[in-house]
């Protein structure tokens, strides 16, 4: 019964998280689309699609393996999470580079390339998803969700501010 209660509570937190992220993403995408116009937003979509296609490499199938290993080998948890963190950063960096190369191959170095390059580099933050694995291993879902929602909202506000101040 306790396991069912903990699962329902964790699931509830995840639903709240998804709804908050969906709302922030929707507002952000609308503002960015209006700011960039049709062509710029299309270019952004190509860059994000190229990076998303590489995301499975960046994730490396580590989530379940890392959490399982961390729970089974308590004495090696720190090493497990550090190794997973570095793997994620290397793989996410590779995904960002491939996304930028796809951009350059399709569009060339246009004036707004710097903004898109910055966005691609920011994708390396996928490496921080290892922190999520640590919270999952220690069953701290509420703290994880609250932290992620706060980060998403802060970065959504930054994106909106950048989009509205650099509107062409």
């Amino acid at each position: 019964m306790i396991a069912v209660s903990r699962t329902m509570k964790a699931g509830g937190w995840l639903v709240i998280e998804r709804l908050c992220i969906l709302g922030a993403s929707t507002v952000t995408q609308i503002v960015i689309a209006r700011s960039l116009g049709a062509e710029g937003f299309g270019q952004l979509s190509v860059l994000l699609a190229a990076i998303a296609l590489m995301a499975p490499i960046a994730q490396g199938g580590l989530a379940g393996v890392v959490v399982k290993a961390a729970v089974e080998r308590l004495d090696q948890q720190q090493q497990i999470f550090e190794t997973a963190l570095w793997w994620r950063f290397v793989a996410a960096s590779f995904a960002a580079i491939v996304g930028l190369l796809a951009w350059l191959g399709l569009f060339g170095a246009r004036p707004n390339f710097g903004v898109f390059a910055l966005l691609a580099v920011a994708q390396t933050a996928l490496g921080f998803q290892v922190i999520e694995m640590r919270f999952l291993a220690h069953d701290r879902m509420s703290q994880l969700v609250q932290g992620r929602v706060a980060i998403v909202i802060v970065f959504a506000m930054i994106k909106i501010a950048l989009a509205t101040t650099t509107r062409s």
Side-chain angles (χ1 to χ4, degrees):
M1 190 65 181
I2 294 173
V4 172
S5 174
R6 286 181 15 187
T7 302
M8 294 298 288
K9 188 175 180 180
W13 277 108
L14 289 174
V15 168
I16 291 169
E17 174 194 31
R18 291 293 154 204
L19 290 173
C20 290
I21 290 173
L22 179 64
S25 297
T26 300
V27 170
T28 304
Q29 291 296 338
I30 290 169
V31 171
I32 290 174
R34 287 178 178 229
S35 176
L36 291 176
E39 182 181 357
F41 192 71
Q43 292 172 0
L44 174 65
S45 296
V46 169
L47 173 67
L48 294 177
I51 292 170
L53 287 172
M54 299 307 295
I57 292 172
Q59 294 171 355
L62 290 178
V65 174
V66 170
V67 172
K68 183 177 186 289
V71 171
E72 288 177 352
R73 298 183 185 108
L74 296 175
D75 58 323
Q76 297 176 341
Q77 260 190 5
Q78 189 66 28
Q79 293 172 321
I80 291 167
F81 287 121
E82 287 174 4
T83 302
L85 181 68
W86 284 109
W87 167 252
R88 281 281 179 101
F89 275 124
V90 168
S93 298
F94 176 73
I97 290 168
V98 169
L100 285 172
L101 291 175
W103 167 277
L104 287 171
L106 291 171
F107 302 114
R110 296 197 175 186
N112 55 1
F113 176 72
V115 173
F116 292 115
L118 180 63
L119 183 62
V121 170
Q123 296 298 314
T124 60
L126 286 173
F128 285 115
Q129 288 179 336
V130 172
I131 295 169
E132 172 184 355
M133 296 173 205
R134 187 174 207 131
F135 276 93
L136 290 172
H138 294 285
D139 197 24
R140 295 187 193 147
M141 192 59 70
S142 65
Q143 294 170 331
L144 173 68
V145 169
Q146 291 169 10
R148 275 201 305 210
V149 167
I151 289 168
V152 166
I153 290 172
V154 166
F155 279 97
M157 291 175 10
I158 291 170
K159 288 179 192 176
I160 289 170
L162 285 172
T164 55
T165 58
T166 60
R167 183 175 292 183
S168 52

